[in-house]
Amino acid sequence: ASAAVLMLIFKDSILGFVAGVQLSQNNMVRIGDWIQMTDGSANGNVEEITLNTVKVRNWDNTITMIPPYTLVSVPFKNWRGMQESGGRRADKCIFIDINSLQVCTEEMISRIRTELPLMAENKEDNAVEILTNVQLYRLYIDRYLHSHPEINQSLDIIVTQKEATAYGLPIQVYFFLKDKAWASFEKKQSDIFDHFMTIAPDFGLRIYQRP
């Protein structure tokens, strides 16, 4: 009975010790890691790891204390891999109004080449018998990303068309920004997608918006 009482008294310490060993041996969490709990209870940098708690300073400067055994029993996201990599991923879709797709006329192609420097030389055109405005738009996005100094050119850059939906034709844009800091990353990727959406009318395309 006394052993059971002692186990009950030291339950948290024992669980914390065992969990701490698991966290350390499996390299799951280190001081300085950015972790995010799936339930939203924590999202920030690990400042301290003790026998009984993992201290996380959230991005709003609040502090969350997490029992180590929670981190070995509940799913969480550790952003360390992204922070140590060559870039932070941006992956979004731009939804195009299908009714705005059209086959390009010679006049349209000439105007696009004249008005948009990135489109001045379209060697890809020669391989396509019939060009559509959405093809040229994808080509423009691809060239823009490959010429952008903030984008890691050694990592994947993908511009592709996904299956059409009730919300339009999704153009998926996938790339990695060199800047991995949260605030500046969000600003830079937002600026890039702002540009892609505002340049769409130059190709005779409309961004889908439900009436």
PDB file of all heavy atoms in Angstrom, residues 25-49:
ATOM      1  N   GLN A  25      16.270  11.179 -26.138  1.00  0.00           N
ATOM      2  CA  GLN A  25      16.828  10.098 -26.955  1.00  0.00           C
ATOM      3  C   GLN A  25      16.343  10.179 -28.400  1.00  0.00           C
ATOM      4  O   GLN A  25      17.090   9.868 -29.332  1.00  0.00           O
ATOM      5  CB  GLN A  25      16.468   8.747 -26.346  1.00  0.00           C
ATOM      6  CG  GLN A  25      17.230   8.412 -25.080  1.00  0.00           C
ATOM      7  CD  GLN A  25      16.954   7.007 -24.578  1.00  0.00           C
ATOM      8  OE1 GLN A  25      15.938   6.406 -24.936  1.00  0.00           O
ATOM      9  NE2 GLN A  25      17.840   6.474 -23.752  1.00  0.00           N
ATOM     10  N   ASN A  26      15.104  10.574 -28.584  1.00  0.00           N
ATOM     11  CA  ASN A  26      14.544  10.662 -29.937  1.00  0.00           C
ATOM     12  C   ASN A  26      14.722  12.036 -30.581  1.00  0.00           C
ATOM     13  O   ASN A  26      14.248  12.271 -31.694  1.00  0.00           O
ATOM     14  CB  ASN A  26      13.046  10.310 -29.897  1.00  0.00           C
ATOM     15  CG  ASN A  26      12.798   8.882 -29.451  1.00  0.00           C
ATOM     16  OD1 ASN A  26      13.540   7.975 -29.815  1.00  0.00           O
ATOM     17  ND2 ASN A  26      11.770   8.681 -28.643  1.00  0.00           N
ATOM     18  N   ASN A  27      15.386  12.927 -29.837  1.00  0.00           N
ATOM     19  CA  ASN A  27      15.667  14.282 -30.355  1.00  0.00           C
ATOM     20  C   ASN A  27      14.378  14.970 -30.821  1.00  0.00           C
ATOM     21  O   ASN A  27      14.329  15.611 -31.866  1.00  0.00           O
ATOM     22  CB  ASN A  27      16.664  14.207 -31.521  1.00  0.00           C
ATOM     23  CG  ASN A  27      17.322  15.558 -31.801  1.00  0.00           C
ATOM     24  OD1 ASN A  27      17.368  16.437 -30.942  1.00  0.00           O
ATOM     25  ND2 ASN A  27      17.801  15.735 -33.030  1.00  0.00           N
ATOM     26  N   MET A  28      13.324  14.807 -30.032  1.00  0.00           N
ATOM     27  CA  MET A  28      12.017  15.322 -30.420  1.00  0.00           C
ATOM     28  C   MET A  28      11.891  16.830 -30.198  1.00  0.00           C
ATOM     29  O   MET A  28      11.260  17.528 -30.985  1.00  0.00           O
ATOM     30  CB  MET A  28      10.912  14.585 -29.641  1.00  0.00           C
ATOM     31  CG  MET A  28      10.809  13.111 -29.972  1.00  0.00           C
ATOM     32  SD  MET A  28       9.701  12.219 -28.845  1.00  0.00           S
ATOM     33  CE  MET A  28       8.130  12.995 -29.218  1.00  0.00           C
ATOM     34  N   VAL A  29      12.480  17.309 -29.103  1.00  0.00           N
ATOM     35  CA  VAL A  29      12.379  18.731 -28.757  1.00  0.00           C
ATOM     36  C   VAL A  29      13.703  19.196 -28.164  1.00  0.00           C
ATOM     37  O   VAL A  29      14.299  18.501 -27.336  1.00  0.00           O
ATOM     38  CB  VAL A  29      11.245  18.988 -27.731  1.00  0.00           C
ATOM     39  CG1 VAL A  29      11.220  20.456 -27.321  1.00  0.00           C
ATOM     40  CG2 VAL A  29       9.889  18.599 -28.298  1.00  0.00           C
ATOM     41  N   ARG A  30      14.141  20.372 -28.606  1.00  0.00           N
ATOM     42  CA  ARG A  30      15.326  21.002 -28.036  1.00  0.00           C
ATOM     43  C   ARG A  30      15.005  22.441 -27.691  1.00  0.00           C
ATOM     44  O   ARG A  30      14.079  23.035 -28.272  1.00  0.00           O
ATOM     45  CB  ARG A  30      16.493  20.967 -29.025  1.00  0.00           C
ATOM     46  CG  ARG A  30      16.953  19.584 -29.425  1.00  0.00           C
ATOM     47  CD  ARG A  30      18.307  19.634 -30.120  1.00  0.00           C
ATOM     48  NE  ARG A  30      18.308  20.471 -31.308  1.00  0.00           N
ATOM     49  CZ  ARG A  30      18.634  20.047 -32.528  1.00  0.00           C
ATOM     50  NH1 ARG A  30      18.937  18.782 -32.716  1.00  0.00           N
ATOM     51  NH2 ARG A  30      18.650  20.873 -33.545  1.00  0.00           N
ATOM     52  N   ILE A  31      15.782  23.026 -26.795  1.00  0.00           N
ATOM     53  CA  ILE A  31      15.627  24.448 -26.501  1.00  0.00           C
ATOM     54  C   ILE A  31      15.902  25.241 -27.781  1.00  0.00           C
ATOM     55  O   ILE A  31      16.876  24.987 -28.495  1.00  0.00           O
ATOM     56  CB  ILE A  31      16.585  24.883 -25.372  1.00  0.00           C
ATOM     57  CG1 ILE A  31      16.144  24.235 -24.051  1.00  0.00           C
ATOM     58  CG2 ILE A  31      16.618  26.402 -25.229  1.00  0.00           C
ATOM     59  CD1 ILE A  31      17.066  24.509 -22.884  1.00  0.00           C
ATOM     60  N   GLY A  32      15.018  26.180 -28.073  1.00  0.00           N
ATOM     61  CA  GLY A  32      15.138  26.965 -29.303  1.00  0.00           C
ATOM     62  C   GLY A  32      14.243  26.485 -30.418  1.00  0.00           C
ATOM     63  O   GLY A  32      14.025  27.202 -31.393  1.00  0.00           O
ATOM     64  N   ASP A  33      13.689  25.262 -30.280  1.00  0.00           N
ATOM     65  CA  ASP A  33      12.776  24.749 -31.301  1.00  0.00           C
ATOM     66  C   ASP A  33      11.463  25.540 -31.300  1.00  0.00           C
ATOM     67  O   ASP A  33      10.989  25.973 -30.251  1.00  0.00           O
ATOM     68  CB  ASP A  33      12.441  23.274 -31.050  1.00  0.00           C
ATOM     69  CG  ASP A  33      13.557  22.335 -31.441  1.00  0.00           C
ATOM     70  OD1 ASP A  33      14.551  22.800 -32.023  1.00  0.00           O
ATOM     71  OD2 ASP A  33      13.431  21.127 -31.152  1.00  0.00           O
ATOM     72  N   TRP A  34      10.908  25.690 -32.478  1.00  0.00           N
ATOM     73  CA  TRP A  34       9.556  26.241 -32.599  1.00  0.00           C
ATOM     74  C   TRP A  34       8.608  25.051 -32.676  1.00  0.00           C
ATOM     75  O   TRP A  34       8.681  24.242 -33.599  1.00  0.00           O
ATOM     76  CB  TRP A  34       9.460  27.115 -33.852  1.00  0.00           C
ATOM     77  CG  TRP A  34       8.066  27.505 -34.262  1.00  0.00           C
ATOM     78  CD1 TRP A  34       6.912  27.397 -33.526  1.00  0.00           C
ATOM     79  CD2 TRP A  34       7.663  28.055 -35.515  1.00  0.00           C
ATOM     80  NE1 TRP A  34       5.827  27.850 -34.237  1.00  0.00           N
ATOM     81  CE2 TRP A  34       6.264  28.260 -35.465  1.00  0.00           C
ATOM     82  CE3 TRP A  34       8.348  28.407 -36.682  1.00  0.00           C
ATOM     83  CZ2 TRP A  34       5.537  28.786 -36.533  1.00  0.00           C
ATOM     84  CZ3 TRP A  34       7.634  28.937 -37.742  1.00  0.00           C
ATOM     85  CH2 TRP A  34       6.244  29.131 -37.669  1.00  0.00           C
ATOM     86  N   ILE A  35       7.728  24.923 -31.651  1.00  0.00           N
ATOM     87  CA  ILE A  35       6.768  23.829 -31.654  1.00  0.00           C
ATOM     88  C   ILE A  35       5.348  24.386 -31.658  1.00  0.00           C
ATOM     89  O   ILE A  35       5.098  25.494 -31.198  1.00  0.00           O
ATOM     90  CB  ILE A  35       6.967  22.864 -30.468  1.00  0.00           C
ATOM     91  CG1 ILE A  35       6.637  23.539 -29.139  1.00  0.00           C
ATOM     92  CG2 ILE A  35       8.356  22.269 -30.465  1.00  0.00           C
ATOM     93  CD1 ILE A  35       6.582  22.559 -27.965  1.00  0.00           C
ATOM     94  N   GLN A  36       4.429  23.574 -32.171  1.00  0.00           N
ATOM     95  CA  GLN A  36       3.029  23.978 -32.290  1.00  0.00           C
ATOM     96  C   GLN A  36       2.148  22.799 -31.902  1.00  0.00           C
ATOM     97  O   GLN A  36       2.214  21.742 -32.522  1.00  0.00           O
ATOM     98  CB  GLN A  36       2.728  24.424 -33.721  1.00  0.00           C
ATOM     99  CG  GLN A  36       1.320  24.915 -33.958  1.00  0.00           C
ATOM    100  CD  GLN A  36       1.130  25.412 -35.391  1.00  0.00           C
ATOM    101  OE1 GLN A  36       2.027  25.332 -36.218  1.00  0.00           O
ATOM    102  NE2 GLN A  36      -0.045  25.923 -35.680  1.00  0.00           N
ATOM    103  N   MET A  37       1.350  22.981 -30.852  1.00  0.00           N
ATOM    104  CA  MET A  37       0.429  21.935 -30.426  1.00  0.00           C
ATOM    105  C   MET A  37      -0.797  21.944 -31.330  1.00  0.00           C
ATOM    106  O   MET A  37      -1.310  23.008 -31.686  1.00  0.00           O
ATOM    107  CB  MET A  37       0.014  22.143 -28.967  1.00  0.00           C
ATOM    108  CG  MET A  37       1.170  22.156 -27.974  1.00  0.00           C
ATOM    109  SD  MET A  37       2.106  20.602 -27.953  1.00  0.00           S
ATOM    110  CE  MET A  37       0.873  19.468 -27.300  1.00  0.00           C
ATOM    111  N   THR A  38      -1.274  20.769 -31.680  1.00  0.00           N
ATOM    112  CA  THR A  38      -2.411  20.685 -32.605  1.00  0.00           C
ATOM    113  C   THR A  38      -3.694  21.236 -31.997  1.00  0.00           C
ATOM    114  O   THR A  38      -4.597  21.641 -32.727  1.00  0.00           O
ATOM    115  CB  THR A  38      -2.650  19.226 -33.038  1.00  0.00           C
ATOM    116  OG1 THR A  38      -2.795  18.407 -31.874  1.00  0.00           O
ATOM    117  CG2 THR A  38      -1.472  18.704 -33.860  1.00  0.00           C
ATOM    118  N   ASP A  39      -3.777  21.268 -30.662  1.00  0.00           N
ATOM    119  CA  ASP A  39      -4.981  21.798 -30.029  1.00  0.00           C
ATOM    120  C   ASP A  39      -4.933  23.308 -29.840  1.00  0.00           C
ATOM    121  O   ASP A  39      -5.863  23.904 -29.285  1.00  0.00           O
ATOM    122  CB  ASP A  39      -5.236  21.114 -28.675  1.00  0.00           C
ATOM    123  CG  ASP A  39      -4.110  21.384 -27.669  1.00  0.00           C
ATOM    124  OD1 ASP A  39      -3.160  22.119 -28.002  1.00  0.00           O
ATOM    125  OD2 ASP A  39      -4.209  20.860 -26.542  1.00  0.00           O
ATOM    126  N   GLY A  40      -3.829  23.939 -30.308  1.00  0.00           N
ATOM    127  CA  GLY A  40      -3.717  25.392 -30.228  1.00  0.00           C
ATOM    128  C   GLY A  40      -3.244  25.917 -28.890  1.00  0.00           C
ATOM    129  O   GLY A  40      -3.162  27.132 -28.689  1.00  0.00           O
ATOM    130  N   SER A  41      -2.908  25.040 -27.954  1.00  0.00           N
ATOM    131  CA  SER A  41      -2.510  25.475 -26.617  1.00  0.00           C
ATOM    132  C   SER A  41      -1.124  26.096 -26.581  1.00  0.00           C
ATOM    133  O   SER A  41      -0.800  26.852 -25.661  1.00  0.00           O
ATOM    134  CB  SER A  41      -2.566  24.298 -25.640  1.00  0.00           C
ATOM    135  OG  SER A  41      -1.693  23.261 -26.052  1.00  0.00           O
ATOM    136  N   ALA A  42      -0.293  25.808 -27.571  1.00  0.00           N
ATOM    137  CA  ALA A  42       1.060  26.373 -27.620  1.00  0.00           C
ATOM    138  C   ALA A  42       1.498  26.526 -29.062  1.00  0.00           C
ATOM    139  O   ALA A  42       1.231  25.664 -29.903  1.00  0.00           O
ATOM    140  CB  ALA A  42       2.044  25.483 -26.867  1.00  0.00           C
ATOM    141  N   ASN A  43       2.185  27.629 -29.330  1.00  0.00           N
ATOM    142  CA  ASN A  43       2.725  27.891 -30.666  1.00  0.00           C
ATOM    143  C   ASN A  43       3.834  28.920 -30.521  1.00  0.00           C
ATOM    144  O   ASN A  43       3.589  30.120 -30.515  1.00  0.00           O
ATOM    145  CB  ASN A  43       1.638  28.402 -31.604  1.00  0.00           C
ATOM    146  CG  ASN A  43       2.129  28.572 -33.040  1.00  0.00           C
ATOM    147  OD1 ASN A  43       3.213  28.092 -33.389  1.00  0.00           O
ATOM    148  ND2 ASN A  43       1.360  29.247 -33.870  1.00  0.00           N
ATOM    149  N   GLY A  44       5.067  28.436 -30.348  1.00  0.00           N
ATOM    150  CA  GLY A  44       6.174  29.362 -30.136  1.00  0.00           C
ATOM    151  C   GLY A  44       7.472  28.622 -29.883  1.00  0.00           C
ATOM    152  O   GLY A  44       7.594  27.425 -30.177  1.00  0.00           O
ATOM    153  N   ASN A  45       8.436  29.318 -29.304  1.00  0.00           N
ATOM    154  CA  ASN A  45       9.769  28.766 -29.095  1.00  0.00           C
ATOM    155  C   ASN A  45       9.915  28.124 -27.718  1.00  0.00           C
ATOM    156  O   ASN A  45       9.456  28.672 -26.711  1.00  0.00           O
ATOM    157  CB  ASN A  45      10.828  29.868 -29.240  1.00  0.00           C
ATOM    158  CG  ASN A  45      11.051  30.255 -30.689  1.00  0.00           C
ATOM    159  OD1 ASN A  45      10.900  29.431 -31.585  1.00  0.00           O
ATOM    160  ND2 ASN A  45      11.404  31.501 -30.924  1.00  0.00           N
ATOM    161  N   VAL A  46      10.585  26.973 -27.681  1.00  0.00           N
ATOM    162  CA  VAL A  46      10.880  26.297 -26.422  1.00  0.00           C
ATOM    163  C   VAL A  46      12.009  27.047 -25.721  1.00  0.00           C
ATOM    164  O   VAL A  46      13.097  27.218 -26.275  1.00  0.00           O
ATOM    165  CB  VAL A  46      11.281  24.832 -26.666  1.00  0.00           C
ATOM    166  CG1 VAL A  46      11.709  24.166 -25.368  1.00  0.00           C
ATOM    167  CG2 VAL A  46      10.141  24.071 -27.327  1.00  0.00           C
ATOM    168  N   GLU A  47      11.743  27.486 -24.482  1.00  0.00           N
ATOM    169  CA  GLU A  47      12.739  28.247 -23.732  1.00  0.00           C
ATOM    170  C   GLU A  47      13.414  27.425 -22.634  1.00  0.00           C
ATOM    171  O   GLU A  47      14.542  27.728 -22.246  1.00  0.00           O
ATOM    172  CB  GLU A  47      12.098  29.491 -23.104  1.00  0.00           C
ATOM    173  CG  GLU A  47      11.701  30.561 -24.112  1.00  0.00           C
ATOM    174  CD  GLU A  47      11.360  31.881 -23.462  1.00  0.00           C
ATOM    175  OE1 GLU A  47      11.041  31.882 -22.249  1.00  0.00           O
ATOM    176  OE2 GLU A  47      11.431  32.917 -24.149  1.00  0.00           O
ATOM    177  N   GLU A  48      12.712  26.413 -22.162  1.00  0.00           N
ATOM    178  CA  GLU A  48      13.261  25.649 -21.036  1.00  0.00           C
ATOM    179  C   GLU A  48      12.646  24.259 -21.019  1.00  0.00           C
ATOM    180  O   GLU A  48      11.466  24.085 -21.308  1.00  0.00           O
ATOM    181  CB  GLU A  48      12.941  26.380 -19.724  1.00  0.00           C
ATOM    182  CG  GLU A  48      13.563  25.774 -18.489  1.00  0.00           C
ATOM    183  CD  GLU A  48      13.220  26.558 -17.232  1.00  0.00           C
ATOM    184  OE1 GLU A  48      12.782  27.731 -17.347  1.00  0.00           O
ATOM    185  OE2 GLU A  48      13.364  25.991 -16.124  1.00  0.00           O
ATOM    186  N   ILE A  49      13.486  23.260 -20.688  1.00  0.00           N
ATOM    187  CA  ILE A  49      13.015  21.889 -20.557  1.00  0.00           C
ATOM    188  C   ILE A  49      13.476  21.367 -19.203  1.00  0.00           C
ATOM    189  O   ILE A  49      14.679  21.317 -18.928  1.00  0.00           O
ATOM    190  CB  ILE A  49      13.556  20.983 -21.684  1.00  0.00           C
ATOM    191  CG1 ILE A  49      13.128  21.504 -23.065  1.00  0.00           C
ATOM    192  CG2 ILE A  49      13.075  19.545 -21.503  1.00  0.00           C
ATOM    193  CD1 ILE A  49      13.740  20.738 -24.229  1.00  0.00           C
TER     194      ILE A  49
END
